[in-house]
Amino acid sequence: MKELPRLPFDNPAMLGIAPQMRALQQEEPITRVRTAGEEDAWLVTRYDEVRALLADRRLGLSNPDPEQSAKSAARSFMVALMAGDDYDTEATRHAQMRRLLVPRFSTRRMRLMKTRIEHHVDDLLDQLAAGTPPVDLHRALSFPLPTMVICDLLGVPLADRERFGQWARGTFDQSDNQHSANTFQQVVDYITELVARKRTEPGDDILSELIADKDGALSDADIAHLGNAVLLFGYETTIVRIDLGTLLLLRNPAQRALLAENPELAPAAVEEILRLGVGGKGSNAIIPRYAHSDITVGETVIRAGDAVMLAIGAANYDGRAFPDGDLFDLARNKPKSHLAFGHGARHCIGRTLARIELTAVFERLFRRLPNLRLAVPEESLRWQEHRITGGFDELPVTF
């Protein structure tokens, strides 16, 4: 019997799609593979098929046969936070979770936060520019900005930013189940205590609104669960995108110069950063699902209970959807919607906020620091493969 291709695929490049992933995408849209968790799965790599399956309600996070599911503690916590840990209740609980959270990301709140976010970026860039290079851009900008935004959103004291700033990467560390569990418990304890405090000291924040929702019918445990999800999903992926976006623009000097001269192109730059932001072996750009009933994709039948890996990173590079998909191009003509935020019922709730943060950064970064460049060879940077979200721990730059 032929041995199945094994995820994750080696990638000699720091950014982009692994050669084996690209080769499989050229051969066919869906391939049988073996995952890092020793699970046989269907890998879907082409844009049209990935997009259709993201919207297909026959796919879920929960495994109909949970005893056969091999997950790290980190993956289990992530699935539970997304209300996907129980096959019988997933659809109902996830729909309820979205009904409660979507209004908290209202146009009014996003508009108010935009001004505050821009002030945060200006302050952080002023501090960065005042430093003596080389400076760690990750520590000076990429890491603090999204954590400050989550403080604003949840009503968390800014003084606690460093305290919870490492929690997402600890919780989602797949290399150490005990560390993941200990970190997650710190998050639960912190948010539970914060909810109790908000009951007597409410503010203009998500937790206070949830406490008042349904005439106070939500329990502290329910509110804390939602708060945990917002906290842990709310900043780490944006941190990663700021770092990746900076690298992508440093790799593309003509596009970087165009952006610096025309900051109104920042939204287009953000969409390209989101589309092309695949790091290391690409684990941060694969969405795992399970078939809850039989699904036919072309000539392939995915059986109920089968694991399905939706390669959104590969789909976002697919030349069938994005001509010259490897190119970072601020002038793409009516590009299709990328899949960085997913699609369908689990389309990322915080996508508008993430776009506001990224736009504020890339409107300003290369105008404020026109000579910004890496202070180390790119190959010396270390992508953190052990974290579900991936990312760097440092990005040394000079200017």
Side-chain angles (χ1 to χ4, degrees):
M1 180 177 174
K2 184 180 178 182
E3 185 175 350
L4 294 176
R6 183 176 288 271
L7 290 172
F9 300 140
D10 287 335
N11 190 4
M14 178 68 66
L15 305 179
I17 303 302
Q20 190 172 4
M21 181 78 77
R22 193 181 297 272
L24 291 175
Q25 184 184 66
Q26 293 305 315
E27 292 172 9
E28 53 190 339
I30 184 167
T31 310
R32 199 72 170 153
V33 298
R34 188 79 167 162
T35 72
E38 300 300 326
E39 190 175 29
D40 288 355
W42 294 103
L43 176 68
V44 190
T45 53
R46 292 184 185 174
Y47 179 89
D48 287 343
E49 287 78 6
V50 171
R51 190 174 189 273
L53 286 171
L54 282 169
D56 196 318
R57 292 184 180 272
R58 292 172 294 178
L59 279 184
L61 269 173
S62 55
N63 188 344
D65 185 6
E67 291 185 2
Q68 299 301 314
S69 178
K71 293 194 204 71
S72 64
R75 182 67 64 182
S76 296
F77 293 140
M78 173 176 273
V79 170
L81 285 168
M82 298 171 72
D85 53 334
D86 186 282
Y87 173 76
D88 294 325
T89 64
E90 176 181 352
T92 301
R93 289 173 59 220
H94 176 249
Q96 180 186 40
M97 189 174 181
R98 289 188 73 90
R99 280 197 300 272
L100 289 167
L101 284 181
V102 167
R104 314 306 159 201
F105 291 81
S106 65
T107 301
R108 169 191 167 273
R109 173 169 272 136
M110 295 302 100
R111 185 169 59 245
L112 291 173
M113 290 197 71
K114 180 175 182 292
T115 300
R116 189 166 176 83
I117 288 167
E118 290 172 345
H119 288 157
H120 285 326
V121 174
D122 287 334
D123 289 345
L124 290 169
L125 287 176
D126 285 346
Q127 293 171 38
L128 194 160
T132 302
V135 173
D136 181 5
L137 185 86
H138 176 85
R139 174 53 60 178
L141 175 65
S142 310
F143 184 84
L145 175 65
T147 55
M148 293 164 84
V149 171
I150 288 299
C151 283
D152 294 340
L153 198 62
L154 289 176
V156 173
L158 271 178
D160 287 349
R161 174 163 54 90
E162 285 295 326
R163 182 178 173 188
F164 73 71
Q166 300 289 341
W167 283 347
R169 53 192 56 183
T171 298
F172 299 144
D173 182 348
Q174 299 184 95
S175 68
D176 187 335
N177 284 343
Q178 190 59 55
H179 175 56
S180 176
N182 291 343
T183 306
F184 183 59
Q185 189 59 51
Q186 291 180 59
V187 176
V188 172
D189 291 345
Y190 181 90
I191 294 296
T192 300
E193 180 184 330
L194 187 61
V195 170
R197 191 160 73 241
K198 292 290 180 184
R199 282 202 178 274
T200 57
E201 303 171 16
D204 183 12
D205 56 74
I206 283 180
L207 294 180
S208 297
E209 288 180 9
L210 288 170
I211 289 167
D213 199 273
K214 300 182 183 297
D215 296 322
L218 291 175
S219 69
D220 280 15
D222 288 337
I223 296 167
H225 177 89
L226 295 169
N228 293 336
V230 171
L231 172 61
L232 289 172
F233 294 132
Y235 61 90
E236 183 66 20
T237 52
T238 306
I239 292 169
V240 173
R241 294 293 176 174
I242 295 172
D243 285 340
L244 287 174
T246 301
L247 279 178
L248 284 164
L249 284 160
L250 289 174
R251 281 184 165 195
N252 292 274
Q255 297 293 295
R256 182 178 75 240
L258 186 62
L259 175 61
E261 294 170 9
N262 303 275
E264 68 275 9
L265 291 174
V270 167
E271 297 310 305
E272 285 290 84
I273 288 165
L274 290 165
R275 183 179 70 82
L276 295 170
V278 182
K281 296 181 180 181
S283 299
N284 72 312
I286 294 179
I287 294 178
R289 293 286 186 266
Y290 289 96
H292 288 182
S293 58
D294 291 355
I295 304 171
T296 300
V297 179
E299 298 179 357
T300 300
V301 178
I302 301 171
R303 298 297 181 188
D306 283 356
V308 181
M309 311 298 283
L310 301 173
I312 57 171
N316 283 338
Y317 277 72
D318 188 355
R320 298 163 189 81
F322 302 97
D324 297 317
D326 290 275
L327 295 181
F328 189 104
D329 184 2
L330 296 181
R332 285 194 176 274
N333 185 29
K334 297 181 180 178
K336 289 190 175 184
S337 299
H338 59 73
L339 303 175
F341 292 120
H343 178 65
R346 289 189 176 276
H347 201 192
C348 177
I349 291 172
R351 60 190 181 275
T352 298
L353 181 59
R355 284 185 165 111
I356 290 171
E357 292 178 67
L358 293 169
T359 299
V361 168
F362 292 107
E363 276 177 343
R364 293 162 170 77
L365 179 59
F366 290 100
R367 298 183 75 198
R368 186 73 176 80
L369 300 168
N371 297 317
L372 185 74
R373 60 194 184 279
L374 283 179
V376 296
E378 185 178 300
E379 56 269 22
S380 71
L381 300 176
R382 292 289 173 262
W383 184 261
Q384 303 303 313
E385 295 288 348
H386 60 285
R387 290 203 294 264
I388 292 175
T389 50
F392 302 103
D393 283 342
E394 58 179 359
L395 191 65
V397 297
T398 187
F399 42 88

